[in-house]
Amino acid sequence: MNILFINSIGRNKFGGGEKWMVNAAKGLTDRGHNVVLASKRNSRLLEYAAGRGVRTEAMEIRGDFSPLATLKIAAWMKKHQTDILICNLNKDVRVAGLAARLVGRPVVLARHGMLLCSKKWKHKLSLTRLTDGIITNSRTIKEAYAGYGWFDENFVKVIYNGLTIPGNVTAFDFAARYPGKKIIYSAGRLSKQKGFEYLIAAAAMLQRKRNDLIFAISGEGKLEAELKSKVKALGIEDTFVFLGFTPDIYPCLKGCDLFVLASLFEGMPNVVMEAMAMQKPVVATDVNGARELMGASTESLRCDTGLIIPPKDPAAIAEAIEKIIDNPAAMAAFGKAGRERVETHFTVPIMVDNLEKHLKAKLAEKARRG
């Protein structure tokens, strides 16, 4: 198959959706498919993809409507006989999806790692007219879209994220920097979505009761100054530290004691999967995909891999941390169960298997329709 992934995210942005796209492109490339990943010139995404051995192409999409970009992408797909186009953002669907319709050949799929469309007419129009399906990573997103009444039962396909569990990870030596302390770690963009303000509030609550915890965050973003100001105002600068952008968080995950996800919304939170792969217990807010990833049922928050708590609730975060941080046996059991769950359900080979089968099925479906 000739496959084009396109993702017009900002040049300096890189998150779970971008990591999924590179993993998918690399996995399909390794299976003999002709795969290209396109994004903005000099973007962090293209640099990361090229470093992983994925073919890249610079394509600029700046808005929802760009006739010149549409014509350029259409000419590229016609020249390279593209069979499958997988779009990331809504504007990618509108610009590149329209290009695919002009060419007539490619199957067009939107990949939604989060709930990316609401019940707006422009979302309905672009997704029903310019795509042949949606790939998402959690049942909760599929169920939300089913409630819109726009799509038939098979239009939205759930394909869980996958990761490659690294073999030899050297743990970051938190003990050398913070001797005698227990490390609570988190990672993500410093944005409203990630809920770090609630984690900061929970840290302040715990500091009033004990002095053996360090909270460390990897990430950068527009709220950095605001979050640091909150930490300073609460007087917890010595126990709540910002590590900045961390290209490889596995050493930090392996070196910490407990991972916390405080997000307000997610798709399938990759960082939780990575923490589980490093055999770390997880405290996570009850956001899209968290229950599926951590093994909780749809009716209950109970799971073997950690604790699931309500979002926007610092007291719940603090309580969950205290519930397990002083219980080494429980933490070890949660970590072991998490690693086993990732190995069974969430590896890149499993993800690529499911994706490849789905792409072939969509091509066959298009061929039957003529």
Side-chain angles (χ1 to χ4, degrees), residues 85-286:
L85 169 67
I86 301 177
C87 300
N88 184 52
L89 302 178
N90 289 321
K91 63 181 177 178
D92 300 334
V93 169
R94 296 186 186 112
V95 174
L98 178 58
R101 291 300 188 238
L102 293 176
V103 174
R105 174 190 179 102
V107 168
V108 181
L109 298 172
R111 200 273 172 169
H112 287 188
M114 292 190 296
L115 197 66
L116 288 181
C117 74
S118 60
K119 287 188 174 182
K120 293 181 179 178
W121 68 266
K122 66 177 183 178
H123 292 153
K124 180 178 181 179
L125 186 65
S126 57
L127 289 169
T128 58
R129 299 295 181 87
L130 297 179
T131 77
D132 301 293
I134 295 170
I135 299 169
T136 188
N137 53 14
S138 79
R139 291 193 307 269
T140 51
I141 295 176
K142 179 179 173 70
E143 289 163 2
Y145 285 167
Y148 292 5
W150 300 346
F151 313 120
D152 64 40
E153 184 179 356
N154 298 319
F155 193 84
V156 181
K157 175 71 173 178
V158 177
I159 298 176
Y160 288 134
N161 294 0
L163 58 79
T164 300
I165 301 174
N168 298 307
V169 177
T170 301
F172 183 83
D173 191 2
F174 284 107
R177 189 180 296 186
Y178 309 106
K181 304 292 187 178
K182 297 173 181 178
I183 308 300
I184 316 298
Y185 180 68
S186 191
R189 290 189 313 279
L190 303 184
S191 65
K192 197 78 174 175
Q193 174 202 342
K194 299 302 180 180
F196 287 125
E197 62 186 290
Y198 302 99
L199 183 59
I200 291 169
M205 291 177 184
L206 289 170
Q207 192 192 41
R208 290 194 289 267
K209 301 168 63 177
R210 55 196 296 166
N211 63 0
D212 63 336
L213 302 180
I214 293 291
F215 289 77
I217 292 179
S218 287
E220 60 184 7
K222 60 184 180 181
L223 292 187
E224 182 172 346
E226 180 182 325
L227 293 173
K228 287 182 175 179
S229 293
K230 286 181 183 293
V231 167
K232 185 175 181 179
L234 289 167
I236 58 173
E237 292 167 286
D238 292 337
T239 58
F240 201 104
V241 297
F242 294 86
L243 303 176
F245 174 67
T246 308
D248 180 8
I249 67 170
Y250 280 116
C252 292
L253 286 168
K254 190 166 183 178
C256 75
D257 294 290
L258 171 67
F259 180 83
V260 177
L261 178 86
S263 293
L264 312 187
F265 61 92
E266 288 284 350
M268 178 66 73
N270 277 344
V271 68
V272 169
M273 194 184 303
E274 291 165 339
M276 290 163 61
M278 290 292 99
Q279 301 189 55
K280 296 302 170 180
V282 173
V283 171
T285 46
D286 189 16

Side-chain angles (χ1 to χ4, degrees), residues 59-76:
M59 293 186 185
E60 300 283 341
I61 296 178
R62 295 186 175 88
D64 281 343
F65 182 68
S66 177
L68 182 59
T70 292
L71 291 173
K72 285 182 177 179
I73 294 169
W76 191 96

